[in-house]
Amino acid sequence: MNDREKTKEQLVEELAQLRGQVADLEAQLARTQQVVADQRRINDSLPVLVATAGLDGYYKQVNAAFERILGWSEQESLSRPFLEFIHPEDREAAVAAFARLRSGDPAINFLDRNVCKDGSHRWINWTVIPVPDRDIVYGIGQDVTDRQQIEEALRESEDGFRAFMNHSRSTAWMKDDQGRYVYLNRVYEELLEVRREDWEGKTDFDLWPPETAEQFWKNDQAVLASGHALDAIEETVGSDGQTRYWWSFKFPFQDVRGKRYIGGWGVDITARKRAEDALQEANRRLDT
């Protein structure tokens, strides 16, 4: 039946149905727009970077954190290939990661430096998930600049510390709070004829006779319990049937993450002790 053959009542009814369908579609569209707006407000309130990017190499949408953290407005972020916002030294790795995204592989904990509007850079740890059938990727990036700077400073201080220790004429070592060796200096290795790689991760109970290990353990625990250094500790070291005497200075310290360690310097005083013993024996004989 064509429209000419329909009655007025039928046409009115169909019109009402069409209006109802349009109203439903408008309500559905309004709900969708509300969801999108709510999601945008949530994304903008997050302390991390949230972005949608196309496989053409441009951002399609970024949240407000881009401007808060990097200084670039949304319009500026969308106007240039996102590769231009990455530090030149990190672009090659970023291109390789993006190629894997094109193949459908996510990028988890991808770390790069993002250039800020003021010319500085921030370290961002990214998790990026591709949606190949839509030619887009979703990314969340956390600013880890402070952590990177702390770790870099820690590495520099450790390198300096190790260099200082290796040029020291005294033996030097570090243990964690469980008594495991984490460092020996060159003098320690040469004097005791040991290798650092054979000692790292082991305790004194793995390396020394029980009475020697127990002595070291008690002194180490005293340092940790008091939180103060112990100076002029005289320890006896027994190894391979020989006895050596050691003067030690032990001190507690923490790294930037709060993990506790024991550090120490030592001087082999075996020759002095034997000379003292010989002198005492000579005096005894003289008295006799």
Side-chain angles (χ1 to χ4, degrees):
M1 181 183 296
N2 57 42
D3 291 343
R4 293 180 180 274
E5 295 173 344
K6 292 180 181 179
T7 64
K8 180 179 179 180
E9 289 76 10
Q10 289 174 323
L11 292 173
V12 170
E13 183 179 352
E14 289 182 1
L15 180 60
Q17 291 175 351
L18 289 173
R19 287 176 174 172
Q21 292 173 0
V22 171
D24 290 341
L25 290 173
E26 289 177 342
Q28 184 178 352
L29 178 60
R31 289 194 296 271
T32 301
Q33 291 173 337
Q34 185 62 50
V35 169
V36 171
D38 291 344
Q39 186 62 55
R40 181 60 184 262
R41 282 195 294 271
I42 292 172
N43 288 347
D44 284 342
S45 67
L46 292 174
V48 295
L49 304 177
V50 180
T52 302
L55 296 184
D56 60 356
Y58 283 80
Y59 287 121
K60 304 304 179 184
Q61 188 178 48
V62 298
N63 71 339
F66 272 74
E67 187 163 5
R68 291 197 304 269
I69 295 174
L70 303 176
W72 302 104
S73 68
E74 181 175 13
Q75 182 178 1
E76 290 170 325
S77 296
L78 304 184
S79 65
R80 295 156 55 188
F82 60 73
L83 197 63
E84 294 185 13
F85 296 101
I86 297 176
H87 193 284
E89 295 178 4
D90 297 336
R91 289 178 184 174
E92 183 177 352
V95 169
F98 197 63
R100 293 192 295 271
L101 288 168
R102 287 177 176 272
S103 302
D105 296 329
I108 308 298
N109 292 329
F110 177 75
L111 189 65
D112 66 7
R113 286 166 290 181
N114 281 230
V115 179
C116 301
K117 190 172 183 177
D118 63 6
S120 63
H121 68 265
R122 308 291 295 178
W123 284 96
I124 307 296
N125 190 336
W126 289 99
T127 295
V128 186
I129 307 299
V131 187
D133 58 340
R134 294 181 55 193
D135 290 336
I136 60 173
V137 297
Y138 292 113
I140 297 177
Q142 182 180 5
D143 183 1
V144 294
T145 304
D146 292 343
R147 186 190 74 187
Q148 287 295 117
Q149 290 174 343
I150 290 173
E151 290 180 352
E152 183 177 350
L154 180 60
R155 284 193 296 270
E156 291 177 354
S157 64
E158 286 180 346
D159 290 343
F161 173 78
R162 291 174 189 271
F164 169 74
M165 289 295 197
N166 279 329
H167 286 84
S168 171
R169 294 186 178 181
S170 303
T171 62
W173 66 92
M174 288 171 54
K175 304 175 189 176
D176 64 17
D177 56 1
Q178 300 301 311
R180 295 182 290 254
Y181 283 90
V182 296
Y183 174 74
L184 301 174
N185 75 338
R186 175 181 50 79
V187 177
Y188 201 114
E189 292 181 284
E190 292 174 353
L191 188 60
L192 294 181
E193 298 181 349
V194 299
R195 297 192 310 167
R196 181 168 59 246
E197 55 267 29
D198 294 335
W199 279 47
E200 288 177 344
K202 295 181 180 179
T203 70
D204 290 311
F205 291 97
D206 300 318
L207 302 165
W208 298 107
E211 62 275 9
T212 299
E214 185 67 28
Q215 178 186 194
F216 288 170
W217 174 257
K218 287 181 178 179
N219 288 335
D220 291 348
Q221 291 306 302
V223 170
L224 289 174
S226 67
H228 301 292
L230 289 182
D231 196 359
I233 309 168
E234 193 170 299
E235 296 175 316
T236 304
V237 180
S239 179
D240 298 330
Q242 298 181 351
T243 299
R244 305 182 75 94
Y245 299 93
W246 222 261
W247 173 89
S248 297
F249 171 75
K250 298 185 176 183
F251 57 94
F253 67 97
Q254 294 184 1
D255 65 15
V256 294
R257 299 181 182 86
K259 183 173 177 56
R260 298 194 303 168
Y261 292 90
I262 303 166
W265 280 277
V267 177
D268 186 355
I269 59 172
T270 303
R272 191 193 75 186
K273 290 288 293 184
R274 289 175 179 168
E276 290 175 352
D277 291 343
L279 181 60
Q280 290 176 359
E281 176 63 18
N283 288 334
R284 186 187 65 78
R285 290 179 178 180
L286 181 61
D287 290 341
T288 301

